[in-house]
């Protein structure tokens, strides 16, 4: 897929104020600082489109980006950032879960996992919630440029092993680096396939 345009359409603090849309939508979710905004910029090749920060908790709203005028990429706020006030943190998870459960045009969810880390309870808790809610997802192990292929494989294996307890179905997963562009073609391919499949199903 060639990205011809990527425009920030709006930012919403809750599901009710999300823009009404029938365009196929794809969401990026994962713990704070995992690299969601960086991945969005890498996919669109628009530097600075989504705000990136080394300070976790940067993205606090649901940000909608219209791509090629015909689909949407969504940058969701990260979960699990301890320094965000407790009250605010709870409302994050409520509106993110609201969005994931009830956004009717949501076609795919990419859950980002930091490939440098051992399996993190917060990621596993989130994925358990996804599985029990019946929400499908694709795992993206981020920041692959930061470690050796061997170390990366070890962390991925450990994560998938933990996930087996939560879900019988092995997850679809891929690796990415926003620094060198790894994973870009694969993610865009998955998105265009999903869009084509939906168009077929609806007889378009
Ligand atoms: P929140 O908005 O706080 O939830 O964070 P986020 O998930 O959007 O993370 P963000 O894209 O802002 O990236 C966090 C930090 O990780 C930044 O310093 C990025 O430069 C860095 N980073 C993100 N992806 C990569 C990557 O693939 N490789 C490397 N080396 N650094 C990355
Ligand atoms: Mg962000």
């Amino acid at each position: 897929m060639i990205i011809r345009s990527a425009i920030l359409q709006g930012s919403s603090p809750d599901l009710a104020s999300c823009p009404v849309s029938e365009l196929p939508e794809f969401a990026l979710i994962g713990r704070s600082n995992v690299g969601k905004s960086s991945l969005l910029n890498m996919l669109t090749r628009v530097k600075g489109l989504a705000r990136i920060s080394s300070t976790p908790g940067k993205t606090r709203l649901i940000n909608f980006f219209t791509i090629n005028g015909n689909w949407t990429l969504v940058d969701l706020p990260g979960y699990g950032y301890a320094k965000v006030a407790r009250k605010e943190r709870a409302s994050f998870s409520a509106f993110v879960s609201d969005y994931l459960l009830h956004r009717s045009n949501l076609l795919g969810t990419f859950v980002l996992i930091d490939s440098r880390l051992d399996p993190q309870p917060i990621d596993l808790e989130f994925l358990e919630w996804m599985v029990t809610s019946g929400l499908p997802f694709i795992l993206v192990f981020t920041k692959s440029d930061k470690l050796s292929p061997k170390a990366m494989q070890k962390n991925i294996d450990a994560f998938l092993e933990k996930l087996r307890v939560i879900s019988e179905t092995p997850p679809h997963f891929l690796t990415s680096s926003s620094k060198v562009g790894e994973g870009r073609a694969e993610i865009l391919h998955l998105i265009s396939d999903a869009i084509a499949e939906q168009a077929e199903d609806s007889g378009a």
Side-chain angles (χ1 to χ4, degrees):
M1 183 193 305
I2 295 168
I3 307 293
R4 295 182 307 274
S5 64
I7 297 158
L8 174 62
Q9 201 200 335
S11 305
S12 307
D14 53 33
L15 182 67
S17 51
C18 288
V20 175
S21 170
E22 290 190 354
L23 297 180
E25 196 158 288
F26 297 86
L28 305 176
I29 177 82
R31 69 205 297 263
S32 197
N33 214 41
V34 71
K36 300 173 293 295
S37 301
S38 302
L39 182 63
L40 192 140
N41 293 342
M42 184 269 263
L43 292 172
T44 58
R45 290 197 173 135
V46 182
K47 227 178 175 177
L49 183 63
R51 266 203 285 162
I52 292 172
S53 173
S54 51
T55 322
K58 192 74 195 167
T59 312
R60 296 196 181 191
L61 300 166
I62 301 183
N63 293 309
F64 293 84
F65 299 85
T66 306
I67 314 294
N68 294 346
N70 59 14
W71 61 279
T72 308
L73 198 50
V74 176
D75 189 12
L76 289 170
Y79 50 73
Y81 173 49
K83 279 188 189 159
V84 172
R86 217 188 170 81
K87 193 167 159 243
E88 209 175 333
R89 212 181 345 152
S91 77
F92 281 173
S93 52
F95 88 74
V96 167
S97 56
D98 236 21
Y99 168 87
L100 291 168
L101 288 170
H102 305 298
R103 182 72 169 165
S104 57
N105 58 325
L106 181 65
L107 207 55
T109 303
F110 294 91
V111 180
L112 279 58
I113 306 291
D114 193 328
S115 67
R116 299 171 303 173
L117 307 177
D118 291 333
Q120 299 289 299
I122 188 142
D123 290 324
L124 294 164
E125 270 166 39
F126 177 74
L127 288 169
E128 186 166 14
W129 177 82
M130 289 288 284
V131 171
T132 52
S133 306
L135 296 167
F137 57 86
I138 290 169
L139 292 180
V140 180
F141 291 95
T142 64
K143 307 191 185 184
S144 68
D145 59 281
K146 288 211 168 191
L147 69 177
S148 71
K150 200 174 161 196
M152 173 124 186
Q153 195 56 54
K154 182 171 162 273
N155 289 347
I156 292 176
D157 287 347
F159 195 87
L160 296 178
E161 179 69 37
K162 290 273 183 193
L163 207 57
R164 233 166 270 154
V165 180
I166 296 168
S167 170
E168 281 171 20
T169 331
H172 191 137
F173 73 93
L174 56 98
T175 59
S176 79
S177 162
S178 297
K179 203 172 171 189
V180 303
E182 186 193 333
R184 184 177 186 273
E186 195 173 349
I187 291 171
L188 291 178
H189 198 79
L190 287 165
I191 290 175
S192 56
D193 274 1
I195 294 173
E197 208 172 292
Q198 192 203 37
E200 242 171 62
D201 286 350
S202 62

